């Protein structure tokens, strides 16, 4: 009898200790052994990766807007999880908006789970929402297994997910802190943005002025102060302003339990190079200047930014107003789920980072932040979720060939380094032409 279901040997395996030549043994969907490359291991199947291939943990993307049910024409669980699998992503955590209804009570969570259960090609978890009037729903959502709670401090873009005023934010933090939950925050100050000139027309500079960095910095400062006051764990979503990073660093030194993320588009693009009318680049908070981008990379180097996730926020093509190029009217969101890994790798290697750092930002750290203790690492006991990545291959992004439901992304036409050749979920290759095999995840679920 064989003791293992599968052994994968690779000259480059990315583990928390760095890259090494290893043999990885899988049994029952879990990593059972990680041994030197030449170790004899008895298994039903043996696979040897090519010399140009790297075995990485499956990417864990904890910031994905699937929009299903209710806005399935924007994206759905079938298209989103196929895109994830094609991009080496083995776990996503779905945001509570822009689905209808948003995931702000247990009934909405159950509807979302029922919608996802037969469509998931990768594993899927869920965030809950914190909105005005749902304080009583937070603990039941926590008990039902959401990974934490998202809130906005300004209009979210959809009316069914309203923002919290400061008193409501503090009340939500006290409620969530009482059961040691996690609050994740879209941090832009509504009053400062309301005072800024409104965006309109095709010039990106006008849109950038409408979402000033001061609004982001001020909102982060408010979240920090309330977290200090309440003891609640907080996470700052999609940091675009590098000026917020010293605030976060000081808060950590002062004992505030705060983490932060950024996204591939803030690490790739810069405001100076966005063409007039190119509304595919519109997102909130906005892509800022080249100097700011480099400071975000410094934040990753110094550990001030903990993780990198896609913030995949698609819409139908008409909502991007590509015909008029009006940044004021266009939907603010960037579609990048399938290409997040090569996008980050392309920029990371130019700045001297290796795949071990990329895996820490995109696999290990998101899993840890969400409490997915069995994901994100190639270590015994973890799920056998793998991405086979060819880091020296290259391709040019063709939006029409991506699995995303709508073929619009600012990466269209961009040359990227690194191709995902295979994705394994719990030791089984994901075949997007076959039936879905993903599972629905709940907080504390360590299957």
């Amino acid at each position: 009898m064989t003791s293992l279901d599968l052994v994968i040997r690779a000259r480059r395996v990315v583990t928390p200790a760095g890259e090494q030549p290893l043999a990885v043994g899988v049994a029952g969907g879990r990593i059972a052994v990680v041994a030197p490359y030449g170790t004899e291991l008895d298994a039903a199947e043996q696979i040897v990766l090519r010399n140009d291939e790297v075995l990485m943990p499956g990417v864990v993307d904890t910031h994905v807007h699937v929009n299903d049910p209710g806005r399935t024409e924007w994206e759905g669980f079938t298209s989103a999880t196929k895109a994830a699998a094609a991009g080496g992503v083995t776990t996503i955590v779905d945001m509570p908006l822009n689905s209808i209804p948003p995931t702000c009570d247990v009934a909405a969570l159950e509807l979302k789970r029922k919608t996802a259960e037969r469509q998931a090609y990768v594993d899927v978890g869920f965030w809950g929402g914190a909105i005005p009037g749902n304080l009583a729903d937070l603990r039941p959502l926590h008990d039902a297994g959401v990974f934490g709670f998202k809130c906005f401090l300004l209009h979210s873009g959809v009316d069914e997910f309203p923002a919290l005023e400061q008193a409501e934010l503090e009340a939500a933090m006290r409620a969530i802190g009482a059961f040691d939950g996690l609050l994740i925050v879209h941090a832009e100050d509504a009053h400062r943005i309301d005072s800024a000139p409104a965006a309109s027309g095709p010039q990106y500079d006008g849109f950038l002025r409408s979402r000033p960095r001061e609004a982001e910095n001020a909102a982060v400062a408010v979240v920090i102060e309330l977290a200090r006051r309440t003891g609640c764990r907080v996470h700052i979503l999609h940091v675009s302003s590098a000026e917020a990073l010293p605030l976060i660093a000081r808060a950590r030194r002062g004992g505030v339990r705060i983490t932060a993320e950024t996204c591939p588009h803030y690490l790739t693009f810069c405001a100076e190079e966005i063409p007039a009318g190119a509304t595919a680049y519109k997102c909130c908070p906005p892509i800022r200047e080249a100097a700011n981008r480099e400071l975000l990379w410094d934040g990753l180097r110094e550990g001030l930014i903990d993780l990198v996730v896609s913030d995949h926020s698609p819409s139908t093509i008409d909502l991007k107003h590509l015909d008029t190029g009006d940044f004021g009217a266009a939907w603010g969101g960037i579609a990048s789920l399938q290409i997040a890994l090569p996008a980050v790798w392309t920029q990371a290697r130019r700045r001297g980072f290796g795949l071990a750092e990329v895996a820490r930002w995109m696999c290990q750290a998101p899993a840890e932040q969400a409490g997915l203790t069995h994901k994100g690492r190639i270590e015994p006991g973890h799920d056998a979720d793998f991405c086979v990545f060819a880091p020296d291959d290259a391709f040019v992004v063709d939006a029409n060939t991506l699995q995303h439901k709508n073929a619009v992304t600012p990466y269209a036409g961009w040359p990227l380094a690194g191709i995902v050749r295979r994705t394994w979920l719990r030791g089984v290759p994901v075949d997007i032409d076959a039936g879905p095999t993903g599972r629905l995840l709940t907080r504390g679920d360590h299957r």
Side-chain angles (χ1 to χ4, degrees):
M1 293 180 64
T2 57
S3 58
L4 297 169
D5 303 319
L6 170 68
V7 170
I8 303 174
R9 298 179 194 274
R11 293 294 178 184
R12 298 174 65 185
V13 178
V14 179
T15 74
E19 286 189 30
Q20 303 172 64
L22 295 170
V24 180
V26 176
R30 291 288 183 93
I31 299 170
V33 61
V34 177
Y37 182 88
T39 304
E40 290 190 14
L41 297 171
D42 189 22
E45 183 179 10
Q46 300 261 356
I47 294 174
V48 179
L49 298 192
R50 292 166 47 173
N51 287 340
D52 67 338
E53 295 178 332
V54 179
L55 187 67
M56 296 180 58
V59 173
V60 178
D61 193 337
T62 53
H63 196 148
V64 179
H65 295 264
V66 179
N67 310 329
D68 192 7
R71 290 190 174 95
T72 312
E73 69 275 14
W74 294 19
E75 197 71 276
F77 282 104
T78 294
S79 55
T81 57
K82 282 185 174 183
V89 179
T90 51
T91 302
I92 66 171
V93 186
D94 172 61
M95 284 291 164
L97 73 164
N98 303 301
S99 57
I100 302 174
T103 316
C104 296
D105 56 41
V106 172
L109 173 65
E110 290 307 312
L111 175 60
K112 184 165 282 194
R113 290 177 62 86
K114 184 177 180 180
T115 303
E117 63 185 352
R118 294 184 181 88
Q119 300 187 63
Y121 284 78
V122 300
D123 287 355
V124 178
F126 304 94
W127 297 108
I131 61 173
N134 84 325
L135 274 179
D137 294 301
L138 300 179
R139 183 58 189 259
L141 277 166
H142 177 80
D143 292 343
V146 299
F147 288 89
F149 303 90
K150 180 177 186 176
C151 72
F152 277 75
L153 306 187
L154 78 173
H155 195 281
S156 69
V158 292
D159 291 340
E160 67 273 5
F161 199 95
L164 296 178
E165 297 290 345
Q166 186 165 326
E168 296 167 325
L169 176 64
E170 181 172 357
M173 283 191 181
R174 292 194 183 281
I176 294 166
F179 51 79
D180 198 29
L182 173 66
L183 183 69
I184 63 176
V185 185
H186 182 123
E188 289 182 283
D189 181 78
H191 302 294
R192 282 172 172 80
I193 287 179
D194 288 344
S195 300
S200 64
Q203 297 304 315
Y204 186 77
D205 281 351
F207 171 63
L208 189 58
R209 287 193 297 271
S210 77
R211 313 289 291 214
R213 69 184 68 233
E214 293 79 11
E216 191 172 352
N217 303 337
V220 169
V222 167
V223 172
I224 287 169
E225 175 55 32
L226 293 180
R228 181 180 290 113
R229 192 182 303 171
T230 63
C232 183
R233 289 190 296 135
V234 294
H235 176 74
I236 305 299
L237 297 164
H238 43 50
V239 172
S240 80
S241 170
E243 291 177 359
L245 299 181
L247 305 178
I248 293 168
R250 285 196 295 272
R252 287 177 179 170
R253 291 195 297 270
V256 175
R257 295 189 295 169
I258 184 170
T259 52
E261 70 185 36
T262 194
C263 306
H265 39 278
Y266 302 126
L267 299 171
T268 298
F269 306 122
C270 61
E272 297 93 328
E273 297 176 358
I274 295 176
T279 54
Y281 289 85
K282 180 180 176 179
C283 59
C284 300
I287 295 161
R288 303 192 188 278
E289 301 84 357
N292 180 85
R293 177 187 61 191
E294 298 313 309
L295 290 172
L296 294 177
W297 279 106
D298 290 345
L300 281 167
R301 193 184 303 276
E302 296 164 14
L304 300 180
I305 300 173
D306 302 275
L307 51 130
V308 180
V309 287
S310 71
D311 189 9
H312 178 70
S313 185
S315 71
T316 53
I317 294 174
D318 62 297
L319 291 177
K320 294 300 282 187
H321 289 275
L322 301 175
D323 53 345
T324 65
D326 186 342
F327 278 99
W331 172 257
I334 286 178
S336 63
L337 176 57
Q338 185 171 332
I339 50 178
L341 174 58
V344 173
W345 170 238
T346 299
Q347 299 298 322
R349 71 175 189 169
R350 293 175 181 172
R351 293 164 174 83
F353 295 104
L355 283 173
E357 288 95 341
V358 172
R360 185 174 71 247
W361 303 328
M362 301 189 73
C363 309
Q364 180 179 334
E368 291 175 349
Q369 187 255 358
L372 288 161
T373 57
H374 56 307
K375 300 284 190 184
R377 301 187 189 199
I378 296 181
E379 282 188 343
H382 282 61
D383 283 359
D385 297 347
F386 306 124
C387 166
V388 177
F389 192 58
D392 297 324
D393 274 4
F395 69 105
V396 175
V397 177
D398 180 351
N400 292 301
T401 66
L402 300 177
Q403 295 292 328
H404 306 161
K405 183 166 285 189
N406 292 281
V408 56
T409 175
Y411 292 94
W414 275 67
L416 296 180
I419 290 178
V420 175
R421 291 188 176 163
R422 278 175 284 180
T423 303
W424 270 284
L425 185 63
R426 289 183 301 279
V428 177
V430 179
D431 182 355
I432 62 175
D433 294 321
T437 58
R439 293 178 179 171
L440 303 187
L441 305 175
T442 58
R443 181 189 41 77
D445 178 5
H446 306 310
R447 291 179 298 176

